[in-house]
Amino acid sequence: QEMAEDWVVESVVGFLLSPLWTTPVMNFYEDNCVVFEDKEENKLEYTLIHKQYQDLVERTLEDFLGFCGCDGRSRVVWR
């Protein structure tokens, strides 16, 4: 089973290094970085942006894993 999971791990690593991942993530950073200030106070707006980021990450990874034929029930043991 370990060899069967190796291709999933290798595919995800390759995906995380590809423009399919880096482009939307970097665009998100660039679009939202101006909102953040170097202060200890966390503004409500930060929470909203963080939620948008979580949604982007989940949607992007789910789309890729779906393309690979992995569904939400698939599990990979990370070592």
Side-chain angles (χ1 to χ4, degrees):
Q1 181 176 353
E2 183 176 322
M3 289 185 69
E5 294 174 350
D6 285 348
W7 75 268
V8 176
V9 174
E10 290 174 11
S11 295
V12 170
V13 169
F15 172 71
L16 294 175
L17 296 172
S18 78
L20 293 171
W21 171 262
T22 58
T23 299
V25 170
M26 290 306 296
N27 287 342
F28 186 89
Y29 292 160
E30 290 170 3
D31 291 345
N32 292 284
C33 69
V34 296
V35 174
F36 293 89
E37 299 173 351
D38 190 17
K39 296 182 180 178
E40 289 190 32
E41 176 187 350
N42 284 326
K43 298 179 179 180
L44 178 59
E45 191 173 11
Y46 297 174
T47 303
L48 300 174
I49 292 171
H50 182 252
K51 175 65 174 131
Q52 292 171 351
Y53 179 74
Q54 286 178 308
D55 293 345
L56 170 69
V57 167
E58 282 183 30
R59 185 177 60 251
T60 306
L61 283 173
E62 286 174 356
D63 288 350
F64 175 73
L65 291 173
F67 175 78
C68 290
C70 297
D71 61 24
R73 295 179 300 271
S74 300
R75 298 287 181 255
V76 175
V77 177
W78 299 95
R79 294 176 203 9

